[in-house]
């Protein structure tokens, strides 16, 4: 699933493919193919993923598809788990 990211232990760094542009709430944002949407959003500065009925901001808790705290709208599909969805160039993500 994440085979496009390579680790080089001798150099202590991860080699990632060239970034692509995704749109988060209409704002162009750089992300790397092979990352999940949750990873890209957190790397971009901890964007709020959703809010509760009382207006409290929520973000990923488990990062493995169990908690549903990371649900966003991806390319018009509401209720998409950001931690289980891989980034694609041009993807449009909206916090809910």
């Amino acid at each position: 699933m994440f085979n496009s990211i390579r680790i080089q232990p001798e150099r202590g760094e991860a080699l990632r493919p060239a970034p692509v542009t995704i749109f988060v709430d209409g704002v162009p944002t750089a992300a790397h193919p092979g990352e999940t949407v949750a990873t890209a959003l957190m790397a971009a500065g901890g964007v709020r993923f959703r809010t509760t009925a009382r207006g409290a901001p929520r973000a990923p808790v488990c990062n493995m598809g169990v908690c549903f705290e990371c649900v966003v709208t991806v390319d018009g599909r509401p209720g998409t788990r950001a931690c289980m969805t891989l980034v694609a160039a041009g993807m449009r993500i909206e916090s809910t």
Side-chain angles (χ1 to χ4, degrees):
M1 180 173 181
F2 299 98
N3 59 0
S4 61
I5 299 173
R6 303 276 185 234
I7 304 296
Q8 286 193 325
E10 66 278 0
R11 293 180 63 191
E13 61 186 42
L15 297 177
R16 300 185 287 180
V20 296
T21 300
I22 60 174
F23 297 89
V24 181
D25 292 326
V27 178
T29 304
H32 295 275
E35 293 179 330
T36 63
V37 170
T39 299
L41 294 180
M42 288 186 287
V47 177
R48 179 194 83 235
F49 287 67
R50 69 177 190 93
T51 54
T52 64
R54 294 186 178 178
R58 304 303 293 170
V61 174
C62 72
N63 271 325
M64 61 184 199
V66 176
C67 72
F68 287 81
E69 293 295 338
C70 67
V71 293
V72 292
T73 299
V74 176
D75 293 333
R77 292 184 314 268
T80 302
R81 290 177 287 174
C83 70
M84 302 298 290
T85 306
L86 293 179
V87 164
M91 185 177 267
R92 296 195 174 274
I93 301 149
E94 298 189 26
S95 56
T96 56

